Amino acid sequence: MNNEILNKVGLYLTEKALTAALPEGSSAENTETFDPKDMQALLNRVLTGHSTARMLIATSSEDIARVLLALNATISGYKLTVLCNGVLHDTDALAELEHEEKMLHTADGTEHFPAVQLHSRLYADEQGALLLEDAQDADGCTPLLAKDGGRWGTLLEGRTSEMFAGTAEHSEELSICERAQLCIALADRVMELGLPVPSREQILLLRKDGKLEPLFITQENDAEQPLSELLYEIFTGHRLSEYDSAAEVLVYDAAVTEIPSIFFEDMMYAYASAFYPNRSDGTLTARRVRNTMERIIMNTEEGFYHE
C-alpha cells in the first residue's frame, strides 16, 4: 500500500465486522469502528472528523466506498482515503498532498500555488499572479518560500492579464516605439544601475495601462553579453555574435528593414572595428542610447518613421 498516504492518516475508521488492525504502514493515532447499516451515523462522523485529521475508512461495501469517495468533491481539506476489499482508493488524497507540497507562501503567510507554467521558470497561480522560480535578481521582488521555509523564488508585481508577449524573446513583434522604450529601460538598468545585461529570454514584458513595462530576471551566474548586441537583437532579432561578419549583417539589415537609420549609426559606432580594422569599437553610454531611442520614439510618433 501507499505509505505516503498511510503514514499521514490520523483517524482510522473500520467496519465492526472487519478486523480493526491498522493497515501496514499506517500510523493513525485514533481508531474507531462503525456500523455499515447506519449510513447516516457514518456520514456524520466523517463530516465532523475530516476537518481535524486525515481519515482512512475501511469497508467491505462497494456502495459505501463510492459514497465516501464522492464526498471528496465537496471536501476542501483532508480528502478521504477508502480501503475497500484490499483496494486502496487514494487518488484524491494523493493529489491533495502533492498540492500541499508545491504550495508556496510569502513571509506574511499568503499562499500561492504554481498552477500554470508560462515559461522555463515562470508560473502563474490560480489568481493570475506571476511566480518566478530561483530568481536572484528580479524587479518587484517579494520572496516566495517553499513548504520547508526555504526560498523558492519571487512573487512578481505583474499578472497574467497584463502579460504582452511573455518575454522579449520575440521582441521583433513589438512596435518600433516599444522596442525603443525597452532599450531605454535596459540602458538605465545596465549603465546607470550597474546591473548585469540580461538575455532576451530574461526580460518579461507586461503591459499596464497601455504602456510596456519590462521585468528583468537574471541570476548570479548568468553569462553576460555586450549591451550593444542585446540592443541589436531586440530591434532586428539577429544576434551579431552568431555571424562571421558583423559588418555584412549590419549593412544588410540597414538596407532591407524599416528600422530607423539612426539606430544603425549607433550600431556601426559600437562595432567600428568590423568596418575599420584600425579603429576600436565605440562604447554605448546610457546617455547615448537614451538620446537615440527618444529620437526614434519622437520621430515615429510624429509620423516620420513607419511602425
Side-chain angles (χ1 to χ4, degrees):
M1 290 189 181
N2 194 325
N3 286 348
E4 186 176 2
I5 288 294
L6 296 179
N7 62 19
K8 290 180 168 47
V9 171
L11 177 59
Y12 177 51
L13 298 179
T14 183
E15 287 183 14
K16 290 181 178 179
L18 298 178
T19 175
L22 291 173
E24 185 178 353
S26 176
S27 58
E29 297 176 358
N30 300 302
T31 61
E32 298 179 13
T33 60
F34 64 90
D35 183 353
K37 296 179 180 180
D38 192 348
M39 191 64 183
Q40 188 60 55
L42 173 61
L43 292 177
N44 289 341
R45 183 66 188 98
V46 168
L47 293 175
T48 57
H50 83 87
S51 62
T52 58
R54 198 174 300 280
M55 302 177 69
L56 170 62
I57 303 101
T59 179
S60 60
S61 169
E62 298 285 348
D63 291 337
I64 290 178
R66 280 193 291 269
V67 170
L68 294 174
L69 291 172
L71 286 177
N72 278 337
T74 64
I75 292 175
S76 59
Y78 287 159
K79 302 291 186 182
L80 304 176
T81 300
V82 178
L83 179 62
C84 183
N85 298 322
V87 179
L88 188 67
H89 300 273
D90 58 359
T91 301
D92 293 335
L94 280 174
E96 181 182 40
L97 281 180
E98 182 180 2
H99 190 277
E100 291 174 358
E101 290 296 323
K102 292 182 178 180
M103 182 64 73
L104 309 171
H105 62 90
T106 57
D108 64 2
T110 303
E111 293 185 333
H112 298 273
F113 182 74
V116 181
Q117 185 167 5
L118 302 171
H119 199 253
S120 58
R121 293 185 292 120
L122 181 66
Y123 297 80
D125 69 8
E126 291 95 334
Q127 288 73 46
L130 297 176
L131 319 175
L132 183 66
E133 185 178 11
D134 296 330
Q136 301 298 325
D137 173 25
D139 298 334
C141 177
T142 299
L144 277 174
L145 308 178
K147 182 180 179 181
D148 62 4
R151 181 185 171 100
W152 178 89
T154 299
L155 172 65
L156 300 177
E157 290 185 344
R159 306 188 71 81
T160 52
S161 59
E162 299 164 331
M163 292 190 69
F164 171 66
T167 72
E169 188 174 1
H170 304 290
S171 54
E172 60 269 24
E173 298 174 7
L174 301 174
S175 70
I176 293 295
C177 278
E178 288 172 332
R179 288 180 239 185
Q181 292 167 359
L182 178 55
C183 289
I184 289 175
L186 273 169
D188 290 345
R189 170 186 173 81
V190 174
M191 297 299 188
E192 295 184 359
L193 299 179
L195 296 172
V197 178
S199 65
R200 283 202 299 170
E201 294 80 5
Q202 295 170 320
I203 304 173
L204 306 183
L205 297 176
L206 308 179
R207 189 185 292 281
K208 297 182 180 180
D209 300 324
K211 181 181 178 183
L212 193 70
E213 292 193 10
L215 290 172
F216 304 100
I217 52 172
T218 56
Q219 299 193 86
E220 287 181 351
N221 299 320
D222 286 339
E224 284 196 65
Q225 61 181 323
L227 176 62
S228 56
E229 178 164 279
L230 178 58
L231 299 183
Y232 196 86
E233 193 177 356
I234 286 172
F235 262 85
T236 68
H238 297 156
R239 184 171 295 179
L240 287 174
S241 62
E242 296 179 352
Y243 296 89
D244 294 332
S245 173
E248 289 182 6
V249 179
L250 277 162
V251 170
Y252 176 82
D253 284 340
V256 303
T257 68
E258 295 185 358
I259 297 170
S261 59
I262 54 174
F263 171 77
F264 289 104
E265 290 174 11
D266 274 5
M267 290 298 107
M268 290 175 181
Y269 167 77
Y271 290 92
S273 63
F275 296 91
Y276 310 103
N278 295 325
R279 286 185 57 182
S280 299
D281 291 337
T283 300
L284 292 182
T285 62
R287 180 167 176 253
R288 183 181 185 119
V289 172
R290 176 176 280 279
N291 178 271
T292 297
M293 297 303 159
E294 287 178 346
R295 288 172 61 196
I296 289 175
I297 293 171
M298 179 183 67
N299 288 333
T300 302
E301 290 177 343
E302 293 181 353
F304 189 75
Y305 301 133
H306 296 291
E307 285 282 25

